[in-house]
Amino acid sequence: MSTTDGTAVASAGGPAAGDGDGGPVLRLEAVRKTYGRGRTVVLRDVDLEVAPHTVTALIGASGSGKSTLLRCANLLEEIDDGAIFLDGEEITDPRADADAVRRRIGVVFQAYNLFPHMSVLDNITLAPRRVHGVARAEAEERARALLDRLGLGGRAGEYPDRLSGGQQQRVAIARALAGRPRLLLLDEITAALDPELVGEVLRVVRDLKEEGMTMVLATHEMGFAREVADQVCFLDGGVVLERGTPAEVFGAPRQARTRQFLQRITEAGRL
C-alpha cells in the first residue's frame, strides 16, 4: 500500500484470528428498519451478502437508506425485523454482546468525529487501550505504524484542528484500523471534504482493497465505486433495487429507476 506521498504501506491487518473465509463476512436477511413508531420505513426487507476481501459499494440518492444500513450493521441502530450475521453469528440476537461485535467492525463516518482535545496519537490509541485492553506501549506502536503508512508519520502529537480535512479523515481511518477489524464500514467519507482533498482519502481506500480488507462503503463518488467495488448495490426507498458487478450496474442496469439515477449522475458530470 502506498500513500499520497509515495510512502510504502504494509498490510493493515487481515481477518482476526479464528475468522474463516468459508462464508460471507456480513449477511443481512430481510432486514427492516422503521422510524417514528413504524410510520417511516427506511429499510425494506434488505438482503445482502459481503464476501471476504471484497468491497461492496452502496449507491443511491440521499435518503435511500445507505447510511442506515451501515448503522444497523454496526448495531448503532436496532432493526425491527430480519437478522444480521457477522461471520455466521447472528449479531442481532438479543443475547449477542453488542460491544464484542463492535470490536470486530471498524467504522468511519463522513464527519471525522475526532476528539478535539486529544492528540492524533491519543485519538487512535483510545479504543485499543480502553476497549481492546491493549497496553499503551503496544497501542502507540500500532498507531505510529498506521500513521507512517497513511503518510501522517509526523503528525502524532498534533491536534485535529491543526490538520486539513483530508488528514483528519485519514486519522479517522487509522483509528478504525487500529482495532484490526474484520470488517470496515465507510459512510460517505469524502462528503465533508473539499474536492481537492477527496483523492488522498480515496487512495487510502483503494490501497486497503489491494490489501484484502473487507469493506462496505456508502458513497456518492460513482467513478470510484465503479473502479474499486466488487459488488454494487443501488438503494431506492430503502430497497436494494439492483445489485451486481460494476459493469452490470453501471454499464447495463436492468431497472428503469437505476437508469434514471445514473443518467442524472452522468449529466451532473459525476460519472
Side-chain angles (χ1 to χ4, degrees), residues 16 19 26 33 69-79 84-87 89-94 96-109 127-128 130-132 175-185:
D19 289 332
L26 179 70
K33 173 64 182 176
L69 190 156
L70 294 181
R71 291 178 65 83
C72 289
N74 195 42
L75 304 184
L76 293 174
E77 297 280 359
E78 185 176 346
I79 65 174
I84 301 176
F85 299 83
L86 181 66
D87 282 317
E89 173 192 354
E90 185 183 350
I91 60 176
T92 45
D93 186 314
D97 184 340
D99 290 335
V101 170
R102 294 190 189 107
R103 285 196 289 269
R104 301 172 63 198
I105 301 176
V107 185
V108 184
F109 300 99
R130 297 285 182 86
V131 178
H132 297 268
R175 180 178 58 185
L177 294 174
R180 298 178 175 173
R182 171 65 164 159
L183 173 68
L184 187 61
L185 307 177

Side-chain angles (χ1 to χ4, degrees), residues 19-41:
D19 289 332
D21 288 351
V25 174
L26 179 70
R27 186 169 87 251
L28 280 69
E29 291 185 354
V31 168
R32 183 178 179 87
K33 173 64 182 176
T34 62
Y35 289 125
R37 296 182 181 177
R39 290 191 297 269
T40 302
V41 181

Side-chain angles (χ1 to χ4, degrees), residues 253 256-269 271:
R257 177 69 184 100
T258 314
R259 292 193 294 271
Q260 179 189 51
F261 172 79
L262 293 175
Q263 181 179 354
R264 290 176 177 173
I265 291 294
T266 301
E267 290 172 352
L271 181 59

Side-chain angles (χ1 to χ4, degrees), residues 23-248:
V25 174
L26 179 70
R27 186 169 87 251
L28 280 69
E29 291 185 354
V31 168
R32 183 178 179 87
K33 173 64 182 176
T34 62
Y35 289 125
R37 296 182 181 177
R39 290 191 297 269
T40 302
V41 181
V42 185
L43 296 176
R44 301 172 182 267
D45 302 322
V46 170
D47 294 319
L48 177 67
E49 287 194 359
V50 178
H53 315 304
T54 64
V55 176
T56 294
L58 309 177
I59 65 171
S62 297
S64 60
K66 305 185 301 295
S67 294
T68 300
L69 190 156
L70 294 181
R71 291 178 65 83
C72 289
N74 195 42
L75 304 184
L76 293 174
E77 297 280 359
E78 185 176 346
I79 65 174
D80 294 289
D81 202 2
I84 301 176
F85 299 83
L86 181 66
D87 282 317
E89 173 192 354
E90 185 183 350
I91 60 176
T92 45
D93 186 314
R95 297 166 294 182
D97 184 340
D99 290 335
V101 170
R102 294 190 189 107
R103 285 196 289 269
R104 301 172 63 198
I105 301 176
V107 185
V108 184
F109 300 99
Q110 57 180 292
Y112 322 124
N113 291 337
L114 301 175
F115 292 110
H117 63 289
M118 299 175 64
S119 69
V120 165
L121 186 65
D122 287 339
N123 265 283
I124 296 172
T125 60
L126 181 63
R129 291 189 294 110
R130 297 285 182 86
V131 178
H132 297 268
V134 178
R136 178 182 288 274
E138 181 181 350
E140 291 187 352
E141 182 179 0
R142 284 188 200 174
R144 292 182 187 280
L146 282 167
L147 289 170
D148 285 343
R149 289 154 48 186
L150 296 179
L152 296 169
R155 301 290 187 170
E158 297 279 8
Y159 287 84
D161 64 359
R162 300 288 300 274
L163 305 178
S164 70
Q167 290 170 332
Q168 289 187 60
Q169 195 60 289
R170 280 187 280 159
V171 172
I173 293 171
R175 180 178 58 185
L177 294 174
R180 298 178 175 173
R182 171 65 164 159
L183 173 68
L184 187 61
L185 307 177
L186 306 170
D187 186 12
E188 302 285 8
I189 59 171
T190 61
L193 298 178
D194 293 333
E196 63 182 10
L197 301 177
V198 169
E200 66 184 59
V201 172
L202 294 183
R203 283 191 196 97
V204 172
V205 179
R206 188 180 294 111
D207 290 341
L208 290 173
K209 172 185 169 62
E210 292 176 0
E211 295 176 2
M213 175 65 68
T214 306
M215 292 181 279
V216 182
L217 59 97
T219 184
H220 288 298
E221 301 288 342
M222 296 297 109
F224 181 70
R226 181 166 59 182
E227 171 197 348
V228 77
D230 299 288
Q231 173 181 222
V232 176
C233 297
F234 172 63
L235 276 74
D236 186 61
V239 176
V240 178
L241 194 61
E242 187 156 359
R243 79 186 73 209
T245 65
E248 291 168 340

